[in-house]
Amino acid sequence: MAKEKKLVEQITSREENFAQWYTDVVIKANLIAYSNIKGFMVIKPAGYAIWEQIQSHLDARFKQTGVENVSMPLLIPESLLQKEKDHVEGFAPEVAWVTHGGMEPLQERLCVRPTSETLFCDFYKDDVHSYRDLPRLYNQWCSVVRWEKETRPFLRSREFLWQEGHTIHATAEEAEERTEMMLKVYADFCAEDLAIPTIKGQKTEKEKFAGAEHTYTIEAMMHDGRALQSGTSHNFGDGFARAFGMQFTDKDNTLHYVSQTSWGLSTRIIGALIMVHGDDSGLVLPPKIAPVQVMVVPIRQDAEGVLDKAKELREELRAAGIRTNLDDTDKSPGWKFAEQEIRGIPLRLELGPKDLAQGQAVLVRRDTREKEVVPFGELAERIPALLETIQSDMYNRAKEHLEAHIYEAASYPEFKETITKKPGFIRAMWCGDQACEDQIKEETGATSRCIPFEQTKVSDVCVCCGKPAKHLVLWGRSY
Amino acid sequence: MAKEKKLVEQITSREENFAQWYTDVVIKANLIAYSNIKGFMVIKPAGYAIWEQIQSHLDARFKQTGVENVSMPLLIPESLLQKEKDHVEGFAPEVAWVTHGGMEPLQERLCVRPTSETLFCDFYKDDVHSYRDLPRLYNQWCSVVRWEKETRPFLRSREFLWQEGHTIHATAEEAEERTEMMLKVYADFCAEDLAIPTIKGQKTEKEKFAGAEHTYTIEAMMHDGRALQSGTSHNFGDGFARAFGMQFTDKDNTLHYVSQTSWGLSTRIIGALIMVHGDDSGLVLPPKIAPVQVMVVPIRQDAEGVLDKAKELREELRAAGIRTNLDDTDKSPGWKFAEQEIRGIPLRLELGPKDLAQGQAVLVRRDTREKEVVPFGELAERIPALLETIQSDMYNRAKEHLEAHIYEAASYPEFKETITKKPGFIRAMWCGDQACEDQIKEETGATSRCIPFEQTKVSDVCVCCGKPAKHLVLWGRSY
């Protein structure tokens, strides 16, 4: 057991040092490797397979709402980036600039896209003429570059993978409907596929997207009580439309500006998966998006019939649509267990000579480590049911954790004490003045995560300045 | 019919001007839009949906051979690009350079990847230590940038989408086996999924990939007789391994350099799809990769029951796994027919009040325009069979076209006459001297497409210089 112990001991415990635990899991689960450019990472097969699952589930949800995929250029001319004032102010300081193509200096420098609003606008303005051309519901899966100063795998990197949807509509109402619809798609995807409960709300003026009229967000709580913004949906009104001249002829033969939205979810969400569900043995992946759902581990695989039966079971489970692998390497069973646990594979199927003789296998849940013995003939039926139970148990545990770590604060001293002593979110009232938001951030490290859609009243006055309150705000320290 | 005629008349005929026909089809079929940076294109939904089909079919074929997907950084430090001498000479003149990150100039400039050999080497050198770590069979789907002077949609652009596989192996034999295996994967994919026959062979020294020991290629023939290199597979030997220090400890406890391959297929292949199968009415897509396989077009959709039945049929066909859409817009049937034809949708299902009364629909093949009347109850069975027939007919026609346009030339005058008068490929002998290859290109515009794996003898001497011949070479003018 010395070696097995070593494998697990390489992971710092969550309680000891959560940040180090996170890095250990990311590396030991083989999700990424650092490249030799700061903030650019190699996403290894185990990490990329998770992203492929996320893409496939989320893309299907998009397409159900009529979204179509496209591919926009990687580079944006500086003049195009500058067309919308707030947008360029938000992004210009953090983009990478291409100045030479081949041996020649470029006449105009080009930035590597940090996001593609300007490209979509430039395209739509020539492509859309009539109300018959609307709505346009386009999305792309790609990578973007933002020159961040501090970087951490998945959570903040200079290059990250994401999807960005960009839609235009004939009316402001339709655009608002789409903005809310896509936030719901994200929230449902997080809840149902990733087993991550989130809180829906609106970003404050200070925290909204550069150029947006308003930004909606889903906020998730990590195991350490910190917030992670997990997906955002922006309503641009007709701001970009006016800057880019995106007009259409309506049924009444008059020219109107289009109304516009954009919405994105990135590889950050893999950080959320790790920090919501992971434990001291490594990753714990929800079955729906686990690239491998069952790992078959033979015990004494040299014993007659064990390996053959293990292979047979693998094929049988695969035929039943269960993503199943077999670890038939020459490593010890204990080592294989540890690896399967680090990788977060939801179920382990153990099969030894004794089991073989008795016509049964042992199933071990990754999330609870509960074992159960199942006759061979019942595996193909029992495993899907068990995977569903794991999925819903994981969601329920995450939801309990979230609810148990949301506090209320009616006064500023209470706010300060809570944020210091109790990891989690705080529900507190706000006057709507950015000065209070700034002060709270400065003095406590907590930021306004959102103005939750579900508004209740904690008190009548702003937790910071004591003036009449306008909104209930969810506060928290964040990633 | 005036409007319908107009729609089709916007496409130049193939015979009149093949290049203009190609551009017309690309634009009228809504595959792309030009962006405002030369050589960068917007791939629109109809074009991107084809790429998604290509990805899904090819990716499944890769995974069957054990390949895993990863994501490598977008940018390459200049010093890394320079590590392998031939490689940097091949690519440095045509890359885009990032010189600033945010407001700061970079200490070392970074190029946007034109291909990722150097990134994979840099990663593998730290990640692989023992023979137990081998082989590594990684692939990524991404976009790359090469600063081309002349650009055409799909065929040659400054940014294009592709996949690039990069593998490392313990022995030269294994690497060679993988190089050949992936070429076969490409050839099978082209033949079976795209209905495009290709010729397999080896590139000459002059035409091989920068840094490769040798390059294999599949060459397809377009309708105008010109060649399009459709996929390449490179064996690097241990050249990059030595340049990057990619070593592993073998079973005998000695250090060895790894052997390496890479292989790629890009959105160029969409150009091949268009130019192999398209006709004067637009695209003709092979059923296996057509994003929409059947378009239901109601005739007199205002007549009682027609639209309801059309919707019912759409649902029935979808349930049978057939990718089916319904055009229930208020356009005229003729206009809808023309649009379906331009888009290359393999089958049209027409349904009018008369058909409804008789309990039948009319199926019209896009490739041959043949019609057949099928009772409602037999559609779900007949359509898949018909799609298979279309798929194999398209392949057979393309193969006949290819074979009918391959000529032999034993003498240089014959070569020159053939290349001038008969569009197609020429099989002719070559001494192996690059001077002859250069001379042929200079004087005839034909390049060596490959040294075909299937070698036969046209004569004993080089078609250009008359010295003893070493290889049969396939020559042709190319895209």
Side-chain angles (χ1 to χ4, degrees), chain A residues 7-14 16-32 34 152-153 274 279-283 342:
Chain A
L7 193 65
V8 175
E9 275 175 1
Q10 293 172 331
I11 300 178
T12 306
S13 91
R14 283 187 299 185
E16 190 187 323
N17 182 338
F18 195 78
Q20 187 59 47
W21 167 83
Y22 176 78
T23 307
D24 288 350
V25 169
V26 165
I27 298 297
K28 301 300 171 197
N30 263 318
L31 302 186
I32 70 122
Y34 296 100
R152 294 187 65 190
I274 299 166
D279 65 21
D280 285 354
S281 301
L283 280 183
I342 287 181

Side-chain angles (χ1 to χ4, degrees), chain B residues 12-42:
Chain B
T12 306
S13 91
R14 280 188 301 184
E15 303 311 317
E16 188 187 325
N17 183 337
F18 194 78
Q20 188 58 47
W21 167 83
Y22 177 78
T23 307
D24 288 351
V25 169
V26 165
I27 299 298
K28 300 301 171 195
N30 263 319
L31 302 186
I32 71 124
Y34 297 100
S35 83
N36 66 15
I37 314 180
K38 178 185 158 71
F40 285 73
M41 59 185 175
V42 175

Side-chain angles (χ1 to χ4, degrees), chain A residues 43 52 69 71 95 97 100 102, chain B residues 43 52 69 71 95 97 100 102:
Chain A
I43 307 183
E52 286 181 311
N69 286 336
S71 171
V95 297
W97 290 104
H100 288 70
Chain B
I43 307 184
E52 285 181 312
N69 286 337
S71 172
V95 297
W97 290 106
H100 287 70

Side-chain angles (χ1 to χ4, degrees), chain B residues 199-254:
Chain B
I199 293 170
K200 296 194 204 91
Q202 181 169 345
K203 285 285 180 193
T204 60
E205 282 298 299
K206 173 186 162 83
E207 300 286 340
K208 75 177 187 185
F209 183 82
E213 211 160 74
H214 55 260
T215 290
Y216 298 137
T217 179
I218 50 170
E219 299 285 324
M221 187 189 288
M222 305 300 101
H223 183 77
D224 65 350
R226 288 172 75 174
L228 192 125
Q229 174 183 308
S230 301
T232 47
S233 186
H234 317 290
N235 188 331
F236 290 109
D238 61 7
F240 277 87
R242 286 175 187 274
F244 281 80
M246 282 190 288
Q247 288 183 299
F248 70 99
T249 308
D250 210 345
K251 287 176 191 173
D252 61 4
N253 221 21
T254 58

Side-chain angles (χ1 to χ4, degrees), chain A residues 212-241:
Chain A
E213 209 159 75
H214 54 259
T215 289
Y216 298 138
T217 177
I218 50 170
E219 300 285 324
M221 187 189 287
M222 305 300 101
H223 183 76
D224 65 351
R226 288 173 75 175
L228 191 126
Q229 176 183 306
S230 301
T232 46
S233 187
H234 317 292
N235 189 331
F236 290 109
D238 59 8
F240 277 87

Side-chain angles (χ1 to χ4, degrees), chain A residues 30 33-37 40-46 48-49 52 59 63 68-77 80 92-103 106 109-110 112-113 119 122-123 125 127 132 136 138 141 143 145 147 158-159 161 330, chain B residues 30 33-37 40-46 48-49 52 59 63 68-77 80 92-103 106 109-110 112-113 119 122-123 125 127 132 136 138 141 143 145 147 158-159 161 330:
Chain A
N30 263 318
Y34 296 100
S35 83
N36 66 14
I37 313 180
F40 285 73
M41 62 186 172
V42 174
I43 307 183
K44 295 166 78 171
Y48 200 78
E52 286 181 311
D59 198 67
K63 284 179 176 158
E68 300 178 291
N69 286 336
V70 299
S71 171
M72 284 281 157
L74 173 72
L75 303 176
I76 306 174
L80 203 61
E94 57 174 38
V95 297
W97 290 104
V98 173
T99 56
H100 288 70
M103 306 312 241
L106 299 175
R109 61 183 190 163
L110 309 168
V112 181
R113 63 181 163 221
L119 292 166
D122 193 49
F123 165 72
K125 83 172 193 315
D127 203 56
R132 287 170 184 270
R136 284 294 167 89
Y138 289 176
W141 294 91
S143 83
V145 169
W147 221 256
R158 288 185 171 174
E159 181 188 18
L161 306 185
D330 58 6
Chain B
N30 263 319
Y34 297 100
S35 83
N36 66 15
I37 314 180
F40 285 73
M41 59 185 175
V42 175
I43 307 184
K44 294 165 78 171
Y48 200 78
E52 285 181 312
D59 199 66
K63 283 178 177 159
E68 300 178 292
N69 286 337
V70 300
S71 172
M72 285 282 156
L74 173 71
L75 303 177
I76 307 174
L80 203 60
E94 58 174 39
V95 297
W97 290 106
V98 172
T99 56
H100 287 70
M103 305 313 240
L106 299 176
R109 60 182 190 163
L110 310 167
V112 182
R113 65 183 161 219
L119 292 165
D122 193 50
F123 165 71
K125 82 172 197 309
D127 203 55
R132 287 170 185 270
R136 286 291 168 89
Y138 289 176
W141 293 91
S143 83
V145 170
W147 220 256
R158 286 184 173 174
E159 181 188 19
L161 308 185
D330 57 7

Side-chain angles (χ1 to χ4, degrees), chain A residues 161-380:
Chain A
L161 306 185
W162 78 344
Q163 59 67 219
E164 47 177 325
H166 297 266
T167 72
I168 52 173
H169 305 266
T171 66
E173 292 69 32
E174 259 187 61
E176 177 58 21
E177 195 188 330
R178 174 60 57 170
T179 314
E180 290 171 18
M181 183 196 300
M182 298 321 288
L183 193 79
K184 185 172 183 311
V185 165
Y186 289 148
D188 290 350
F189 164 72
C190 284
E192 295 163 15
D193 296 334
L194 307 185
I196 296 177
T198 57
I199 293 168
K200 295 195 206 89
Q202 180 169 345
K203 287 284 179 192
T204 61
E205 285 297 301
K206 172 185 161 85
E207 300 285 341
K208 75 177 185 185
F209 183 82
E213 209 159 75
H214 54 259
T215 289
Y216 298 138
T217 177
I218 50 170
E219 300 285 324
M221 187 189 287
M222 305 300 101
H223 183 76
D224 65 351
R226 288 173 75 175
L228 191 126
Q229 176 183 306
S230 301
T232 46
S233 187
H234 317 292
N235 189 331
F236 290 109
D238 59 8
F240 277 87
R242 286 174 187 276
F244 282 80
M246 282 190 288
Q247 288 183 300
F248 70 99
T249 309
D250 211 344
K251 287 177 191 172
D252 60 4
N253 221 21
T254 59
L255 271 180
H256 294 275
Y257 287 106
V258 301
S259 295
Q260 188 177 5
T261 85
S262 84
W263 24 276
L265 180 144
S266 77
T267 36
R268 270 204 123 189
I269 202 73
I270 298 178
L273 266 179
I274 299 166
M275 290 194 287
V276 168
H277 299 303
D279 65 21
D280 285 354
S281 301
L283 280 183
V284 182
L285 292 176
K288 280 208 188 154
I289 57 94
V292 179
Q293 295 171 311
V294 177
M295 179 63 87
V296 178
V297 181
I299 317 287
R300 286 202 46 215
Q301 63 188 32
D302 52 318
E304 198 187 333
V306 170
L307 202 51
D308 287 343
K309 186 67 189 176
K311 286 179 184 169
E312 188 190 316
L313 290 176
R314 176 189 58 188
E315 295 315 310
E316 191 192 333
L317 297 181
R318 283 185 177 174
I322 303 160
R323 298 188 289 272
T324 310
N325 274 4
L326 164 65
D327 188 347
D328 58 0
T329 59
D330 58 6
K331 298 166 188 166
S332 74
W335 187 267
K336 292 178 186 180
F337 293 174
E339 284 192 330
Q340 169 256 328
E341 294 199 342
I342 287 181
R343 291 172 60 192
I345 297 168
L347 268 184
R348 181 166 78 228
L349 188 156
E350 302 176 4
L351 176 76
K354 235 184 185 167
D355 303 306
L356 187 61
Q358 294 174 359
Q360 65 188 29
V362 181
L363 297 179
V364 188
R365 285 174 63 157
R366 171 64 183 89
D367 63 330
T368 59
R369 290 195 168 72
E370 280 175 85
K371 289 190 179 200
E372 75 181 69
V373 174
V374 180
F376 291 147
E378 294 170 23
L379 284 169

